[in-house]
């Protein structure tokens, strides 16, 4: 009885041991402490990043003997324990963005904000981050073209590359990012025209900001399909028609087209019903201001420095704006400007 029992116990034990060995064997790196939340692959990638950027003071917490889930600038997901956010800000990196950022496959947010002396291009390895939802590289001296391959980041929902020194044209491939809700490329040195493909963003896109660049040419007709909340194309060199952005049932609330060379007749446009912010100043816009503008609940409105003519419509909020919203046009008249003759 005893013999039998101990025999079955020992076979049970060896089964357990075998299972344990199999489990341990399948673990990526048995040399690291099992009590860490941090995944060893993530730790390795982060240490490679640290090696590549050499900003020791800021990354003092990135110490191999500690659990990387508790390091500064990173966050581990509560369920997977994988690094899913890498948020670098307010520091100085005298190197390019390290290619090892591509070795953090669970990354959902990658942020470089206000980084001095960051150099070189965005690494191609970033395309390995197929779970990336947010890419934000702002206030850095990064220059060169915005790479085509960003269009491969299929999960991306928010792309902000504002306040850098990117030049060249905007890649049409960004329109492949069909889950994008925000795209901000403001304050770079981007030139060329707005890609026709951007009409494909349709109703997912909420924020569309290309302001303060050197974009030229006409606004693509395809943008009439955008159903954004906020569109800012101001401070560029755009020419011609912008009436495709004015549809009565467009969802747009904020529309800033100021400081361009737009030249079209405003007389017959239909303003989006929900428009609260409208800046058309400093263009070459012709015609008159449609009466329908009085139906809008505007808190900011600027028609100044254009070639508009005729009577300023009376009603709604219109007369609450100062004359500065209307000055320097060809022949606008009526309150708050002088009476029409
Ligand atoms: C890392 O942490 C260990 C233990 O806390 C410490 O002894 C070591 O000096 C640290 N290394 C660095 C480079 O800070
Ligand atoms: C780093 O950037 C700062 C501020 O932008 C600048 O003053 C400094 O010269 C730069 N250093 C190097 C080594 O490029
Ligand atoms: C895009 O969003 C939809 C709806 O939220 C989601 O089902 C889909 O997986 C997303 N696509 C990618 C590539 O993330
Ligand atoms: C806009 O309104 C018109 C008329 O009210 C309607 O025929 C059209 O389908 C609407 N378009 C959208 C995109 O809702
Ligand atoms: C305008 O705003 C209202 C209230 O937020 C919303 O219900 C409506 O759908 C909006 N209309 C359009 C065309 O976006």
């Amino acid at each position: 009885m005893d013999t039998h029992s101990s025999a079955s116990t020992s076979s049970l034990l060896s089964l357990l041991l075998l299972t344990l060995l199999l489990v341990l064997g399948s673990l990526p790196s048995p040399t690291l402490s099992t009590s860490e939340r941090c995944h060893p692959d993530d730790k390795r990638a982060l240490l490679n990043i640290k090696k590549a950027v050499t900003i020791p003071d800021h990354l003092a917490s990135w110490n191999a003997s500690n659990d990387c889930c508790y390091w500064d600038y990173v966050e581990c997901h509560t369920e997977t324990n994988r690094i899913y956010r890498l948020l670098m800000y307010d520091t100085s990196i005298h190197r390019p963005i390290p290619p090892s950022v591509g070795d953090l496959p669970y990354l959902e947010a990658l942020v470089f904000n206000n980084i001095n002396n960051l150099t070189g291009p965005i690494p191609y390895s970033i395309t390995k981050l197929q779970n990336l939802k947010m890419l934000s590289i702002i206030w850095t001296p990064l220059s060169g073209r915005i790479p085509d391959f960003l269009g491969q980041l299929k999960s991306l929902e928010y792309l902000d590359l504002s306040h850098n020194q990117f030049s060249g044209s905007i890649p049409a491939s960004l329109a492949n990012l069909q889950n994008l809700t925000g795209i901000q490329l403001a304050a770079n040195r981007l030139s060329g025209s707005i890609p026709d493909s951007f009409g494909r963003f349709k109703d997912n896109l909420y924020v569309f900001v290309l302001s303060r660049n050197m974009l030229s040419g006409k606004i693509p007709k395809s943008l009439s399909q955008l159903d954004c909340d906020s569109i800012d194309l101001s401070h560029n060199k755009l020419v011609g028609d912008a009436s495709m952005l004015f549809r009565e049932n467009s969802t747009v609330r904020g529309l800033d087209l100021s400081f361009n060379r737009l030249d079209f007749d405003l007389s017959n446009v239909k303003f989006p019903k929900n428009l609260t912010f409208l800046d058309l100043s400093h263009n070459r816009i012709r015609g008159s201001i449609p009466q329908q503008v009085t139906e809008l609940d505007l808190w900011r409105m600027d028609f100044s420095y254009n070639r508009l003519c005729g009577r300023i419509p009376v009603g709604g909020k219109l007369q609450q704006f100062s004359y500065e919203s209307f000055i320097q046009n060809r022949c606008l008249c009526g309150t708050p400007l002088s009476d029409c003759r």
Side-chain angles (χ1 to χ4, degrees), residues 227 247-250 273:
D227 255 333
R247 282 174 302 121
E248 204 164 2
N249 49 8
S250 144
K273 283 175 184 157

Side-chain angles (χ1 to χ4, degrees), residues 202-230:
K202 298 225 174 89
D203 36 291
N204 270 336
L205 202 64
Y206 200 69
V207 175
F208 182 59
V209 179
L210 306 181
S211 57
R212 295 177 192 274
N213 281 291
M214 302 183 297
L215 299 172
S216 57
K218 293 183 174 177
I219 299 174
K221 289 264 183 286
S222 63
L223 295 197
S224 69
Q225 297 172 61
L226 287 187
D227 255 333
C228 281
D229 194 76
S230 174

Side-chain angles (χ1 to χ4, degrees), residues 261-322:
R261 297 164 188 179
L262 298 168
D263 179 354
F264 63 100
D265 189 341
L266 195 67
S267 313
N268 295 315
V269 304
K270 294 270 186 254
F271 291 108
K273 283 175 184 157
N274 283 350
L275 207 58
T276 57
F277 180 111
L278 175 66
D279 192 344
L280 299 178
S281 68
H282 296 269
N283 279 289
R284 297 164 186 175
I285 301 170
R286 293 171 279 116
S288 55
I289 301 176
Q291 180 67 29
Q292 187 227 349
V293 77
T294 61
E295 294 163 22
L296 303 175
D297 191 16
L298 292 164
W299 60 267
R300 182 178 157 82
M301 178 195 65
D302 198 341
F303 292 105
S304 66
Y305 294 87
N306 275 294
R307 297 174 180 173
L308 294 163
C309 221
R311 187 180 292 274
I312 296 169
V314 176
K317 292 208 161 171
L318 230 60
Q319 275 63 42
Q320 292 172 21
F321 292 95
S322 92

Side-chain angles (χ1 to χ4, degrees), residues 45 147 174 197 210 239 257 260 265 308 321:
L174 295 183
S197 60
L210 306 181
V239 301
L257 302 176
N260 277 289
D265 189 341
L308 294 163
F321 292 95

Side-chain angles (χ1 to χ4, degrees), residues 67-125:
D67 190 332
C68 76
C69 287
Y70 303 102
W71 292 359
D72 294 337
Y73 302 111
V74 296
E75 280 177 50
C76 283
H77 197 277
T78 48
E79 280 159 27
T80 62
N81 285 335
R82 299 300 299 254
I83 296 286
Y84 81 119
R85 289 181 175 163
L86 173 56
L87 319 170
M88 292 267 196
Y89 48 87
D90 299 338
T91 183
S92 219
I93 296 180
H94 300 265
R95 300 285 168 78
I97 295 176
S100 357
V101 295
D103 299 329
L104 294 165
Y106 286 70
L107 216 55
E108 291 180 17
L110 178 58
V111 175
F112 288 88
N113 182 347
N114 193 20
I115 315 283
N116 291 321
N117 311 74
L118 195 66
T119 62
I122 297 177
Y124 181 71
S125 64

